Amino acid sequence: MQDFSCIYDLCLMVLRAFVQNQPIKLSLIKSGMETLYAFMSWIPLVYIFTSDLIENVLLPLIEHQQLRNLSIKCLTEIILINFQGSNPEETKQFQEKMLILYTGFISRIEKMLLSDISVFKEREKTIRTAPKSLTAFDNLCQNLTMFFTGVFQNHLPWIENVAANPDN
C-alpha cells in the first residue's frame, strides 16, 4: 500500500502542476494519466473520493484536446465504481463527489460541443476536412458513450432523486 500511495501522489502532483500551467512535458502528463487509468479500477475509494483528483485534476484536463480522451476514460472508470455496501456516511460522501463529477463533466462538455451538433454530420465533416483526425473523433464519441452509459447504468436513480429533491 505504501508503494501505491507514492505512485498515486506522484501522478497527482504532476497532473496538478500541469493544470496549474507549470511547464511540464506532455509525454509526462500522458504517462501520469495512463498510470492512473491503469490503476483506477483498484485504487482504494478513499484516494479517489477524498482527494481533489476529480474536480481539480481530471475534469480540467478534458479541456486539453490532446488529453481529453484519456481524461474521459479515467472519469469513466470512476463513474463505473459501485459503492453499494459502503456505510451510509461514505455513500453520501461518494454520491456528492459523483455529482460533482457528473455536473462538472456536463458543463465542460457543453463548452466543448455545440448544442445543435449532429455527430453524424461532424464525422462526415471530419472525413472531408481532417481525415487524420477521424480516429480521435471516433474515440471521443466512444468514450463519451461509455461515460454516459456508466452514469445511466450505475447512478441514474439517485441522481434523479437528488435532482427532484435538491434540499435533501
Side-chain angles (χ1 to χ4, degrees):
M1 188 60 134
Q2 178 72 20
D3 292 337
F4 169 75
S5 180
C6 291
I7 292 169
Y8 179 81
D9 289 342
L10 178 62
C11 289
L12 213 53
M13 180 189 74
V14 168
L15 296 175
R16 275 186 193 127
F18 181 76
V19 168
Q20 296 167 353
N21 295 319
Q22 295 179 16
I24 297 179
K25 285 187 172 185
L26 189 60
S27 61
L28 181 58
I29 300 307
K30 284 183 178 180
S31 293
M33 291 184 73
E34 288 167 355
T35 301
L36 272 180
Y37 178 68
F39 294 136
M40 198 63 75
S41 63
W42 60 267
I43 292 175
L45 297 180
V46 69
Y47 284 90
I48 295 170
F49 293 107
T50 61
S51 72
D52 66 342
L53 174 66
I54 295 169
E55 61 269 39
N56 293 329
V57 179
L58 293 175
L59 284 174
L61 291 175
I62 290 174
E63 296 168 12
H64 297 274
Q65 187 173 0
Q66 294 174 318
L67 303 171
R68 185 171 295 143
N69 277 322
L70 194 49
S71 180
I72 294 171
K73 288 170 85 170
C74 288
L75 291 167
T76 300
E77 285 298 314
I78 294 171
I79 213 75
L80 291 173
I81 293 172
N82 183 346
F83 44 81
Q84 291 179 342
S86 300
N87 70 50
E89 187 177 307
E90 284 179 331
T91 298
K92 183 172 174 36
Q93 180 184 12
F94 297 162
Q95 286 178 337
E96 287 171 0
K97 277 286 192 168
M98 286 291 193
L99 202 54
I100 289 169
L101 190 164
Y102 180 69
T103 57
F105 187 85
I106 295 295
S107 70
R108 282 174 170 80
I109 294 300
E110 281 179 337
K111 290 178 195 172
M112 193 177 80
L113 301 175
L114 302 173
S115 62
D116 62 348
I117 190 171
S118 163
V119 174
F120 179 75
K121 287 180 182 176
E122 284 299 311
R123 189 172 193 282
E124 291 297 313
K125 185 172 102 181
T126 302
I127 290 170
R128 284 191 316 276
T129 60
K132 291 182 180 180
S133 300
L134 186 59
T135 300
F137 179 82
D138 287 346
N139 288 340
L140 176 63
C141 291
Q142 180 181 11
N143 292 331
L144 289 170
T145 301
M146 295 299 292
F147 179 86
F148 287 114
T149 299
V151 169
F152 300 148
Q153 194 171 42
N154 296 326
H155 305 290
L156 189 60
W158 68 261
I159 289 175
E160 285 178 334
N161 187 36
V162 168
N165 304 303
D167 297 330
N168 290 344

